[in-house]
Amino acid sequence: MELAEIERKCMSETVVEKTWEVPAHGGKGPVSVTLRMPEVRVTDSEGRHIVISPAQADIVSGKLGNIADWIEDGAGD
């Protein structure tokens, strides 16, 4: 078995889990985002959640960055 194949096998058997908490702000939240390969779960303060793929999470992250930029630029002024 070559090294790359061994690494893939180890990663596929390893539980990868990380949670980020986003504090409440402006009467909304808090929100938690949990990565547990191969899915990402976004949970709101009422316990509702959506489950998305890591690839979708990457796209959402970019879109959220675009929103922050848009707001900082004057929200379309």
Side-chain angles (χ1 to χ4, degrees):
M1 193 179 290
E2 65 183 62
L3 182 59
E5 190 175 336
I6 292 170
E7 289 174 344
R8 277 193 300 275
K9 185 173 180 0
C10 287
M11 285 302 293
S12 68
E13 294 175 357
T14 303
V15 174
V16 176
E17 186 167 349
K18 171 75 176 157
T19 299
W20 294 266
E21 299 292 333
V22 180
H25 185 269
K28 306 291 183 198
V31 174
S32 67
V33 178
T34 301
L35 166 66
R36 183 176 174 115
M37 291 302 286
E39 64 184 32
V40 176
R41 179 181 297 241
V42 180
T43 306
D44 71 9
S45 60
E46 295 182 21
R48 297 174 298 204
H49 65 269
I50 60 169
V51 177
I52 59 177
S53 72
Q56 288 173 307
D58 187 44
I59 293 168
V60 169
S61 172
K63 299 298 180 190
L64 291 173
N66 291 343
I67 291 169
D69 290 345
W70 185 75
I71 291 169
E72 287 178 12
D73 288 343
D77 289 341

